[in-house]
Amino acid sequence: MNKYSLRRYLLFFISLFINAFGIVFITKALLGTSPITSVTYVLSMFTPLTMGQWTIILNLLFMVFELPFMTRQYLKESKRMYLLQVPITLFFGWSIDLSMGILEWLNPSTYLMQLASLATGCVILAVGIALEIKANIALVAGEFFVGAISRRLRKEFGFVKLGFDISLVVLACALSLIFMDGIYGVREGTVVAALVVGPIVHFISPMYRFLDKWITPAKSMAASATGEQPHTVITIAREYGSGGRLLGQTIAQRLGIPCYDKEIIELSAKKSGLTERYVSANEQSMSPLWIKNLIFQNYESSLEHSLSSKDALFVAECHVIRDLAAKGACVIVGRCAGYVLRDFPHVVKVFCYSDNESEVRRCIEQYGIPRDKAADEVRRINRARETHYEHYTGEHWRDIHNYDLVVNTASMGIDAACAMVASLAEKR
């Protein structure tokens, strides 16, 4: 085990303690605890065992329940991750009891103070989960259990996780009613924690990029992929209706190199195991429904280990884009390619845009979109691309600092824009 792996393990166990501290902070608000700890909290209220001890017992039971959902091959491949749940569970349970002792003083007396404690706990828990994802070493038993079910039943991770959390909350309520003649430990705070922690994790995660050099060998994946090849790759992010695809094709023709756009759909489908129809419909968009994104996205695992179809698709496209860039000079249109290739040494990142009137006109004249629907379609697709980009990169799609060249195809035309990009590429 090298020093980088040791650092990852250190970060992971630090994250576990932060998670435990956040959970206890939420619990001490007396507005209900998080769904994953609702059962253990209720059990600790009418038995001699502590919340941490019940956490250990329940998580070890999860390990037993995981086995029927794991094939022999999957168990063999995941043996290290499976066995790591034992020390993780013991440390996590101990951390919960230790945090209970540390926060013994926390007894909010008013509803406003309870809400403040709940909010603080949610933020602390999100900070820990984001650090756990950055360490990318293992999964806690609850997440591993949901993942095993999701894989075996071939169901979307988000829906399985939702069902798992609801089942725990229902069980907690049942135990509370049976043994304490009322519902305790499950309140509005349980719902709040379930809904807000994930988005906070997503917001915080990019802030941990400063740890990359500390936990990753200096020779990056990008450098090893490209080797000594000096070729230049041109990436084009584009507003819908700005002519970005045509610009990419024109540049590729001028430089005599391939242009990859829709070809990435077929390659990503093969890489991910998803259908081409699914890839085409979901590759550069996020649902406008906030609650649907909460359900589908796996906020508690790294993208590489996520079982969300959306995440699996993005990871597959990243691999495809890196493979294409490593093979030789080319133009890649859309799909966050500039961000994906940010560590590659010879990349020209272009953003193509236009005024709204020109984009609407292009949609009508060249894409065949009805005149009365064109403006709405431009807004819808641009909003979807922007949301998708920001979700997976943590950066702003239209931020000019993310690009080497920004071209307005309405004012200069495709040919002039092509000449500018080609000139920059040749200088590179």
Side-chain angles (χ1 to χ4, degrees):
M1 184 181 294
N2 59 40
K3 65 178 181 180
Y4 297 105
S5 295
L6 288 173
R7 289 171 180 175
R8 285 183 180 272
Y9 276 103
L10 175 62
L11 287 181
F12 183 80
F13 280 93
I14 290 173
S15 75
L16 287 181
F17 182 80
I18 296 173
N19 290 348
F21 197 78
I23 287 172
V24 172
F25 222 106
I26 293 172
T27 304
K28 296 285 283 185
L30 300 178
L31 294 177
T33 188
S34 62
I36 191 68
T37 52
S38 58
V39 172
T40 58
Y41 179 48
V42 169
L43 286 169
S44 71
M45 296 173 74
F46 64 86
T47 67
L49 298 182
T50 65
M51 185 175 171
Q53 290 168 338
W54 274 116
T55 297
I56 292 173
I57 293 171
L58 186 61
N59 283 356
L60 290 178
L61 283 174
F62 285 154
M63 289 188 65
V64 176
F65 296 151
E66 288 161 8
L67 291 173
F69 293 98
M70 300 173 69
T71 63
R72 185 174 299 178
Q73 181 63 28
Y74 179 46
L75 181 59
K76 183 178 180 180
E77 294 172 353
S78 307
K79 184 178 179 180
R80 182 188 68 86
M81 294 275 281
Y82 180 78
L83 294 178
L84 271 175
Q85 292 177 87
V86 175
I88 288 171
T89 293
L90 296 176
F91 181 80
F92 189 53
W94 172 81
S95 297
I96 287 177
D97 283 344
L98 178 60
S99 298
M100 278 289 188
I102 294 173
L103 293 175
E104 188 176 1
W105 57 270
L106 182 61
N107 295 294
S109 55
T110 67
Y111 190 69
L112 185 61
M113 292 176 65
Q114 288 177 310
L115 289 175
S117 298
L118 173 64
T120 302
C122 287
V123 172
I124 294 172
L125 179 56
V127 167
I129 292 174
L131 187 61
E132 177 187 333
I133 293 170
K134 174 58 68 174
N136 196 21
I137 285 295
L139 295 174
V140 295
E143 292 300 308
F144 195 98
F145 181 44
V146 175
I149 296 174
S150 178
R151 286 180 185 275
R152 186 57 180 244
L153 301 183
R154 297 184 179 180
K155 299 294 183 181
E156 186 66 42
F157 176 91
F159 285 126
V160 176
K161 180 68 164 63
L162 180 64
F164 177 69
D165 287 347
I166 291 175
S167 299
L168 290 178
V169 171
V170 170
L171 178 59
C173 290
L175 290 170
S176 182
L177 284 169
I178 293 170
F179 294 99
M180 294 185 289
D181 299 322
I183 295 180
Y184 302 95
V186 177
R187 282 184 55 181
E188 61 269 33
T190 304
V191 178
V192 171
L195 291 178
V196 307
V197 171
I200 298 174
V201 170
H202 180 68
F203 175 77
I204 291 174
S205 292
M207 300 180 186
Y208 285 127
R209 286 177 184 161
F210 72 93
L211 292 170
D212 288 344
K213 292 182 179 179
W214 194 65
I215 62 175
T216 307
K219 188 176 182 180
S220 68
M221 186 191 308
S224 61
T226 55
E228 301 300 323
Q229 299 179 60
H231 58 260
T232 297
V233 176
I234 301 169
T235 67
I236 299 179
R238 78 282 189 224
E239 290 185 346
Y240 185 65
S242 65
R245 178 181 300 166
L246 177 59
L247 175 62
Q249 293 170 345
T250 306
I251 294 169
Q253 185 176 12
R254 174 169 178 156
L255 298 178
I257 58 178
C259 176
Y260 298 108
D261 182 11
K262 292 185 177 181
E263 296 83 356
I264 296 176
I265 294 175
E266 180 182 356
L267 294 172
S268 298
K270 291 179 180 178
K271 178 75 73 172
S272 64
L274 300 167
T275 65
E276 289 188 32
R277 182 177 180 180
Y278 180 89
V279 173
S280 179
N282 294 276
E283 61 165 349
Q284 298 182 80
S285 67
M286 296 293 293
S287 171
L289 298 176
W290 177 69
I291 190 67
K292 187 175 180 181
N293 288 333
L294 281 177
I295 292 174
F296 270 97
Q297 293 306 305
N298 181 4
Y299 289 103
E300 299 184 23
S301 300
S302 65
L303 283 175
E304 291 78 10
H305 293 123
S306 174
L307 293 179
S308 160
S309 296
K310 288 269 191 179
D311 293 346
L313 171 55
F314 180 76
V315 171
E317 287 199 330
C318 288
H319 286 306
V320 168
I321 288 169
R322 286 178 173 271
D323 289 344
L324 293 174
K327 288 179 180 178
C330 62
V331 178
I332 300 176
V333 179
R335 298 161 180 89
C336 307
Y339 175 83
V340 173
L341 301 177
R342 63 194 180 280
D343 296 329
F344 275 55
H346 304 287
V347 178
V348 175
K349 294 174 286 185
V350 179
F351 186 82
C352 177
Y353 75 104
S354 182
D355 60 83
N356 184 255
E357 183 179 344
S358 299
E359 290 177 350
V360 170
R361 185 169 58 251
R362 184 184 295 275
C363 289
I364 296 170
E365 296 175 355
Q366 298 186 23
Y367 303 165
I369 297 175
R371 187 177 299 274
D372 60 333
K373 296 181 180 179
D376 289 339
E377 189 70 356
V378 167
R379 281 193 296 269
R380 182 187 69 81
I381 294 181
N382 280 338
R383 191 184 305 117
R385 288 178 178 177
E386 183 174 26
T387 303
H388 177 268
Y389 186 91
E390 292 181 0
H391 179 85
Y392 283 109
T393 70
E395 298 177 355
H396 295 293
W397 185 49
R398 290 186 171 94
D399 185 351
I400 61 173
H401 298 92
N402 294 328
Y403 306 98
D404 300 305
L405 186 63
V406 177
V407 295
N408 184 339
T409 52
S411 62
M412 70 175 62
I414 295 293
D415 291 338
C418 173
M420 290 180 64
V421 177
S423 176
L424 180 58
E426 288 165 354
K427 290 179 180 178
R428 285 284 176 89

